[in-house]
Amino acid sequence: MAAEDPAGNAPSRSKRADAQRNRETVLTAAAEVFVTSGVDAPIRQIAAQAGVGMATIYRHFPTRADLVTAVYQHQIEACAEAGPNLLAMADSPLDALHQWIDLFVDFLVTKHGLADALQSDSDRFAALHAYFLDRLLPVCAHLLDAAVEAGDIRPGTQPYELMRGIGNLCIGRDNDPRYDPRRLIALLLQGLQRPQTS
């Protein structure tokens, strides 16, 4: 009884908070390792990056597919939550759209190897892809609508087309160090803008 707080439940709440912090730390570390070493990176490398034991990783994510799925869900959520925040803080809706596209490109770059990692579980991959669209299409649509309403870009751009186009521009990055998708994405976004009238 001495370990309990006046509400009688602090120890378990504290353990849950610690477990959640560990989970977040592992997800962040795994995302960083995936960028540099791919999704097949050794679990010990992720554990070292996170500063936790391998048992901690396996406790939260029993299989590699569990870890890979959780990393991408975590990144999708971060990208989705960033949209409204950027719109509230940026100088203009166009700036918010540009900053969000930068985050979206960062996400796509870390997605390297995702399909292969989840190949044995096509249902899991399909569910993750549907989650990606469900969470990010409305955010992109909201940013586009705000930029159109502000007179920054022309109307008519569909969020799916824009996201798909950006994804296609990112594909060639892995195999050719001379290829910079961000430069082409900047040109694409420039093409959406309304001509400035003097």
Side-chain angles (χ1 to χ4, degrees), residues 6 9 24 33 44 49 56 60 67 76-77 83 123 182 184:
N9 58 7
E24 296 288 323
V33 170
R44 66 179 170 278
Q49 179 79 12
T56 298
H60 290 288
L67 176 60
I76 289 167
E77 280 305 309
D123 289 344
R182 288 184 193 274
L184 292 177

Side-chain angles (χ1 to χ4, degrees), residues 32-50:
E32 292 169 3
V33 170
F34 288 172
V35 171
T36 57
S37 303
V39 293
D40 293 322
I43 295 297
R44 66 179 170 278
Q45 184 180 351
I46 297 168
Q49 179 79 12

Side-chain angles (χ1 to χ4, degrees), residues 64-147:
R64 181 176 295 274
D66 292 330
L67 176 60
V68 171
T69 302
V71 166
Y72 291 113
Q73 284 179 334
H74 185 64
Q75 291 183 317
I76 289 167
E77 280 305 309
C79 198
E81 290 167 9
N85 294 336
L86 290 170
L87 199 53
M89 297 181 331
D91 292 336
S92 71
L94 182 62
D95 286 341
L97 178 63
H98 277 257
Q99 291 173 42
W100 187 79
I101 294 296
D102 277 344
L103 291 174
F104 181 62
V105 171
D106 287 342
F107 169 77
L108 293 178
V109 167
T110 64
K111 202 165 73 66
H112 173 67
L114 174 61
D116 290 341
L118 300 179
Q119 195 169 31
S120 62
D121 189 350
S122 59
D123 289 344
R124 186 192 299 254
F125 183 75
L128 188 57
H129 183 69
Y131 181 70
F132 169 88
L133 293 175
D134 288 346
R135 291 294 288 135
L136 297 187
L137 277 176
V139 176
C140 186
H142 185 57
L143 289 164
L144 284 169
D145 289 346

